[in-house]
Structure formats: C-alpha cells, structure tokens
Amino acid sequence: MVRKMMIAGNWKMNGLSADGMVLAKEVAASVKAKKRICEFVVCPPFTILAVVKKALRGAKVALGAQDCHFDEKGAHTGDISPLMLTDVGCSYVILGHSERRADHGESDELICRKAEAAHKAGLKTIICIGETLAQREKGETIDVCSKQILGSVPVSATAADTVIAYEPVWAIGTGKTPTAQDVEDVHASVRKVLAKKLGKGQANKMRILYGGSVKPANAKELLSLPDVDGALVGGASLKAVDFMAIADNAGC
Ligand code: 13P
C-alpha cells in the first residue's frame, strides 16, 4: 500500500504577518527547488492565513488552520467556521490537538462534530490523538489512543479527507520521543482500530503522522517506520531550514 508521505507544520500561536510571510516564502522556495515526493502543509495562526496563502503562491504547499467550529456561521463569538477557512484558501484543518483538548476541554465528541463539519465544507482534517505521561506510565497508551480514534474520527471519514496524527503529549516540545518500536506499535494499533471503524480498505490508505519533538536528527528513523506516513512538526516547523531538513532526511 503506497501512502503519500506528508510533512505538516503546526505553527501554533507563533507568527506575525512579517515573519510568517518570510517563513512561508522560504518553505515555498525550498519545496519548489527540488522534485518532492511528499505532500507539504503549513498551519499558521488564523490571523495570518491570508498572508501565508499569498506567500505560498505557485508552490505545492497546502494551507491548513489549527481548529474550526462545527457550525457554518452564527452566534459563536471568537470562533472560526470551516467555510471561513475554505474561503481564505485552506484545504486542511488540524482538529483535537492535545493543546486544545487540554486548554479548551475539547472532547472526542466535539472533535468528531468539528471533523464532520469540516469535511462537509470540503476541508481535509488532521485529527490528533495521544496519551499523557501518566497514561503511558500506567500502560494505557493503546487504550487511550483507541478510545480517541473511536470517539473523534467520524464514521464517514475516508483516507481522502482524513489524516491521523499520533502525538504523545509528553513528547510535545520536550525533546523526548518514544522509541521507534513504541511509535510503530502505536501506529499499527491505530490502523487496526481504524480498520474496525472504517473498514480495512480505508484504514490501509489512511495516513498516520507522528508528532512530538520531530527534528532533522530523528526524522529518518521515525519516518521510515512502516506505519508512519509523515510528521506533524511543531517547534522545528518555525525555521524553514529545519522543517525542510526533516523532509530531506525522510527522503521526501
Ligand atoms: P513539537 O514538534 O514542538 O514537539 O510539537 C509537536 C506538535 O504538537 C505538533 O502539532
């Protein structure tokens, strides 16, 4: 089964217009400079989506947002709808990132509802799952990830509109990563749960990214695992050289 590798950058709450534009232009230039076999996505904050879209013009780099509401429009002060994201040029949206689950109390049910709305609007989703350190230490990693997959991925999801990102919470921004074997074990078990939920055909085609302290130095090992189909990169996506070195080292 050939799944197209994806290298996605989650800029989180970083970037003003000027530096966001520079970063996007550098990524665009680097993607254009070489024949690339993977798909690139950058996910800046809402406020600079339009600026980044412009800076990416002509480069095969998709634009993604970091969250959306489940309604198309209406009385939801401060929220952004899926239609607003397609309107500004997004083709992807990250949903259920652990920082949103923790900071905003997002449940699997809410994430599922958002994903359905995003798909309806024509957006592709990157749905995040992952265990905390306490859960890992109690040996609950596979159970937690399975529950999150079952609860937050819509039954109607397909490999064409959904990407999963496994991000162990304790590996995010810490410089720590699970062993390659641990990553492969979780990804393989996630694929099994996806097969149960969506059927084997979709599960085999669906990309499962790894995220959490991905750097140029560990990209090759992590991204060459059989069930790892790319990376969702946080900190290292804020420097174009590092972001592109991750792609280069992963053979993309
Ligand atoms: P870091 O790469 O900074 O660990 O962040 C990972 C992440 O949360 C991407 O969504």
Side-chain angles (χ1 to χ4, degrees), residues 90-142:
C90 287
S91 46
Y92 279 94
V93 62
I94 297 172
L95 292 174
H97 192 282
S98 62
E99 287 150 15
R100 292 210 60 86
R101 289 176 185 261
D103 295 354
H104 299 271
E106 292 199 3
S107 63
D108 289 332
E109 192 190 10
L110 176 68
I111 294 157
C112 186
R113 214 170 154 196
K114 290 181 175 197
E116 285 167 345
H119 293 157
K120 188 168 164 232
L123 287 167
K124 293 176 240 179
T125 53
I126 301 174
I127 300 177
C128 303
I129 59 160
E131 83 287 0
T132 62
L133 186 57
Q135 290 165 332
R136 167 157 293 245
E137 284 172 347
K138 280 192 265 169
E140 296 172 356
T141 299
I142 301 283

Side-chain angles (χ1 to χ4, degrees), residues 78 101 164 204 232 245:
R101 289 176 185 261
I164 306 296
N204 282 339
L232 181 55

Side-chain angles (χ1 to χ4, degrees), residues 10 12 97 167 171-173 212-214 232-235:
N10 175 8
K12 307 193 180 186
H97 192 282
E167 301 202 313
I172 295 176
S213 296
V214 177
L232 181 55
V233 185

